[in-house]
Amino acid sequence: MRAQVFHGPGDLRDETVPVPDPGPGEVVLRVDAALTCGTDVKTLRRGHPVMIPHVPTVFGHEFAGRIAAVGAGVRGLREGDHAVAANSAPCRRCALCRAGRPNLCEDLLFVNGAYGEFIALPARLVAENLVTLDAATPAARAAFAEPLACAMLGVERAGVEHGQSVVVLGHGPLGCLLAMVAGARRARVILVGKRGWRLDRVRSLGIAEVIDATATDDLVADLRAATGGRGADVTIDATGRPEVWAQAIDAVGRGGRVVFFGGCAPGTTVSVDTRRAHYEELTLLGAFHHTPELIRRAVELLEANTIEPEGLITRRMGLGEVREALELMANGQALKVLIEP
Ligand SMILES: [Zn+2]
Ligand SMILES: [Zn+2]
């Protein structure tokens, strides 16, 4: 089969590799749709010790397709079933798993290989994080389950409720998914981005009120003005930039919640106004990854048309064009690229 194989930072190769055979408990999925992700761009540039501990490996981690083969001992799944899998599975045994926080599992098993015609799913992933789909659900939509579940975790951590004001900083695909999920909870959502065709595209999708951060010299004042002078009930950073984390803290109102969704570069810090943190009872929260429960709920929202993320796909390309697709992502020329192996 054809596959895009990651050999190390900057080294992605178009190769022919054997079609995987499922071992006991495993499933092999025919990939019908894979999506590019900002994480791919970062990983290709500098590697990723957590998501990709061993090379070479087939690259890519957002995918959906049909079950091509089932290993011994797998129950309830059949060849031909449409399915989507997350890119990781928790161990269910560590302290954090037992505490009900499997997204923080100390032994998360990561799976890569979306950019190939077939992908082998290890037994733990099959048991924890493989969800079958209605045959009518387009694979391109189902492939959003993983990033959507991450966005749902962020919104859940924020405790977003009907009628609250929610500011999402960052107009990349995850900023947009966060805005969609908060909107589905009937919050008033303001999405902050930077001028350009991507922001125009996001505006045209009508998923939130949009503010152009490059059109103001005091974004925080504008956000406070837009929220009745009080500041937002919830602010969420989806940029992974420390200066934007600081804006998220500055733009939240009394009693508000700030979610640090975007991961920043190692070694960076932000400072917190101690007076505000204390007297205004600010809640500052991290949000990382997803859980098996949220993967299932993400599939439900996608299949119920509650979340319709296809507008975030700005290009469709073939398996041989993954490198080009990731360059488009890196240069801000794509939101998400759909790869159809
Ligand atoms: Zn991703
Ligand atoms: Zn665990």
Side-chain angles (χ1 to χ4, degrees), residues 37 61-62 146:
C37 169
H61 63 272
E62 298 178 9
E146 191 271 328

Side-chain angles (χ1 to χ4, degrees), residues 273-292:
D273 178 333
T274 51
R275 186 198 60 80
R276 287 194 62 222
H278 176 76
Y279 292 103
E280 298 185 19
E281 274 200 358
L282 303 186
T283 304
L284 309 179
L285 296 153
F288 170 70
H289 210 51
H290 48 66
T291 65

Side-chain angles (χ1 to χ4, degrees), residues 144-204:
F144 276 94
E146 191 271 328
L148 177 59
C150 293
M152 290 166 73
L153 186 103
V155 169
E156 189 115 323
R157 298 281 282 140
V160 171
E161 286 171 18
H162 179 199
Q164 285 189 326
S165 55
V166 177
V167 170
V168 178
L169 298 142
H171 68 294
L174 274 156
C176 293
L177 289 171
L178 284 158
M180 289 180 188
V181 175
R185 291 202 181 185
R186 297 203 289 150
R188 175 194 170 203
V189 186
I190 300 171
L191 187 61
V192 179
K194 286 187 176 168
R195 173 176 44 222
W197 78 267
R198 288 195 303 176
L199 193 62
D200 295 340
R201 169 83 178 219
V202 169
R203 202 178 257 125
S204 74

Side-chain angles (χ1 to χ4, degrees), residues 258-277:
V258 181
V259 178
F260 302 124
F261 184 88
C264 298
T268 51
T269 56
V270 288
S271 59
V272 175
D273 178 333
T274 51
R275 186 198 60 80
R276 287 194 62 222

Side-chain angles (χ1 to χ4, degrees), residues 22-336:
E26 296 181 352
V27 159
V28 171
L29 200 71
R30 166 83 178 92
V31 179
D32 289 324
L35 295 169
T36 60
C37 169
T39 305
D40 295 340
V41 177
K42 271 198 275 183
T43 303
L44 184 54
R45 208 175 280 152
R46 57 181 189 226
H48 200 305
V50 179
M51 276 176 68
I52 304 191
H54 307 292
V55 292
T57 177
V58 181
F59 205 48
H61 63 272
E62 298 178 9
F63 58 95
R66 281 161 294 159
I67 292 176
V70 171
V74 174
R75 287 172 203 290
L77 297 169
R78 273 189 316 201
E79 207 182 302
D81 283 350
H82 295 241
V84 60
N87 61 333
S88 72
C91 75
R92 297 288 187 193
R93 292 192 305 268
C94 72
L96 283 154
C97 275
R98 286 202 310 263
R101 301 179 76 178
N103 58 313
L104 299 182
C105 173
E106 290 158 16
D107 181 29
L108 266 184
L109 172 71
F110 279 95
V111 177
N112 297 284
Y115 303 142
E117 291 174 75
F118 296 88
I119 180 172
L121 308 177
R124 194 206 281 181
L125 188 77
V126 171
E128 294 289 344
N129 254 340
L130 178 68
V131 185
T132 53
L133 302 164
D134 192 294
T137 304
R141 175 177 290 203
F144 276 94
E146 191 271 328
L148 177 59
C150 293
M152 290 166 73
L153 186 103
V155 169
E156 189 115 323
R157 298 281 282 140
V160 171
E161 286 171 18
H162 179 199
Q164 285 189 326
S165 55
V166 177
V167 170
V168 178
L169 298 142
H171 68 294
L174 274 156
C176 293
L177 289 171
L178 284 158
M180 289 180 188
V181 175
R185 291 202 181 185
R186 297 203 289 150
R188 175 194 170 203
V189 186
I190 300 171
L191 187 61
V192 179
K194 286 187 176 168
R195 173 176 44 222
W197 78 267
R198 288 195 303 176
L199 193 62
D200 295 340
R201 169 83 178 219
V202 169
R203 202 178 257 125
S204 74
L205 295 176
I207 53 185
E209 296 168 46
V210 172
I211 289 184
D212 175 2
T214 59
T216 169
D217 10 278
D218 194 344
L219 175 65
V220 170
D222 286 8
L223 289 172
R224 288 199 164 254
T227 48
R230 300 198 324 276
D233 296 310
V234 171
T235 58
I236 306 176
D237 168 72
T239 69
R241 299 164 64 96
E243 63 274 22
V244 183
W245 279 35
Q247 289 177 325
I249 299 170
D250 290 345
V252 83
R254 215 174 148 74
R257 290 174 171 234
V258 181
V259 178
F260 302 124
F261 184 88
C264 298
T268 51
T269 56
V270 288
S271 59
V272 175
D273 178 333
T274 51
R275 186 198 60 80
R276 287 194 62 222
H278 176 76
Y279 292 103
E280 298 185 19
E281 274 200 358
L282 303 186
T283 304
L284 309 179
L285 296 153
F288 170 70
H289 210 51
H290 48 66
T291 65
E293 187 201 339
L294 287 172
I295 291 288
R296 278 162 185 76
R297 279 170 47 200
V299 171
E300 281 168 24
L301 292 186
L302 292 166
E303 292 200 316
N305 305 326
T306 308
I307 302 286
E308 298 180 301
E310 286 91 338
L312 302 177
I313 295 171
T314 54
R315 292 286 285 269
R316 294 168 162 251
M317 299 171 97
L319 196 49
E321 297 166 296
V322 168
R323 177 174 281 281
E324 197 184 330
L326 295 178
E327 271 160 24
L328 291 175
M329 299 281 291
N331 300 331
Q333 292 170 289
L335 276 169
K336 271 194 172 300

